[in-house]
Amino acid sequence: MRGAAGATAAVCMLLLLGPATPGGGVPRAGRLPPGAAKEVVPDRVGTWNICNPCGSGNDYGRATEIATYAPQVIGLQEACVRDVERIRAYLEEVYGLAYHVRYGTVLRNWNRCGGLPWRPGGYGQAILSAAPMTDRVSVEYPDGGSEDRGYLAVTTLVGGRPVRIFNTHLAERRQGEVRAGQVEVLAAAVARHDRAIVLGDFNAVPDAPELAPLWALAPDADPGCRPQAGDAGGDADDCTATTDWESKFDYVFLRGVVSGPHHVRPSRYSDHHVLYTDLDRSREP
């Protein structure tokens, strides 16, 4: 009876997660690269556009990337709810990393996220946090541009202290005027908090004028990266590229929070790189 129950549980897990490897085999725990985090890093925050067109077949690889760096909080963009469910399940079942999740769905689309034609999957932002999250707010921008866009905000603990986390995905790269309106909405919400971290894919380089309201509120975690050449302490040319096309589109803006080491890691599972920052609590007010 115990053997039958175990087999049934294994089948249920496979149905939940789906094929994890090209051959459909069950992934084994502990297959992380040298130097990978052994558990969640309490002061680490990250952001990653997981590339919706890259396919749900990469969810195990995406989970492995997140497990390698094991941030306390990570914001995901271009996220289908079903993909995030699988990623979260792999993180816990394969790597022993338990994350809470909150979603900021801005559209339901069968072509993007699967499901039944009359019950398509949700698409938008998601936040994974090792600590519980409260006060969730999901806002769709009045003008999304060529596709619905918005932001998701929650309050959680990072390094033992409460902080407001924002996760957004702005309009596509050639839609600067649309992004300007979106940033006005986002910046007004961020300005209401003394301690905030703004994560996301902004589809704009640091010098883009539409990002000015955010730069006025918070610096990016990338050391030396500033919006205008000649700014004290940095230059837009010093910003590390975060995409396969050598542009910086992804940011970790810190308001009332101090950055420590900042990392940008290319990934074969997305056309955006994984960004993560270790906060320096010793320098916080």
Side-chain angles (χ1 to χ4, degrees), residues 104-159:
T105 297
V106 293
L107 61 88
R108 296 192 176 276
N109 189 293
W110 181 80
N111 289 325
R112 275 194 176 275
C113 296
L116 299 172
W118 56 90
R119 192 180 177 187
Y123 171 84
Q125 287 70 246
I127 295 175
L128 298 179
S129 172
M133 292 174 276
T134 61
D135 304 320
R136 170 191 170 273
V137 173
S138 181
V139 173
E140 187 172 333
Y141 294 125
D143 183 359
S146 56
E147 180 180 82
D148 294 347
R149 296 290 164 90
Y151 75 79
L152 169 66
V154 300
T155 298
T156 190
L157 297 178
V158 178

Side-chain angles (χ1 to χ4, degrees), residues 224-257:
C225 180
R226 298 294 183 270
Q228 295 179 354
D231 274 4
D235 189 303
D237 292 336
D238 294 331
C239 301
T240 305
T242 66
T243 65
D244 287 353
W245 54 93
E246 298 298 322
S247 294
K248 178 176 171 64
F249 276 9
D250 306 88
Y251 298 81
V252 178
F253 289 107
L254 302 174
R255 178 173 170 82
V257 183

Side-chain angles (χ1 to χ4, degrees), residues 199-277:
L199 311 169
D201 173 6
F202 290 77
N203 270 319
V205 296
D207 280 329
E210 64 267 25
L211 296 188
L214 279 173
W215 284 110
L217 291 172
D220 181 54
D222 188 351
C225 180
R226 298 294 183 270
Q228 295 179 354
D231 274 4
D235 189 303
D237 292 336
D238 294 331
C239 301
T240 305
T242 66
T243 65
D244 287 353
W245 54 93
E246 298 298 322
S247 294
K248 178 176 171 64
F249 276 9
D250 306 88
Y251 298 81
V252 178
F253 289 107
L254 302 174
R255 178 173 170 82
V257 183
V258 180
S259 175
H262 180 68
H263 307 272
V264 179
R265 305 298 191 205
S267 170
R268 63 192 179 100
Y269 303 108
S270 175
D271 54 358
H272 286 251
H273 306 339
V274 182
L275 278 67
Y276 66 93
T277 296

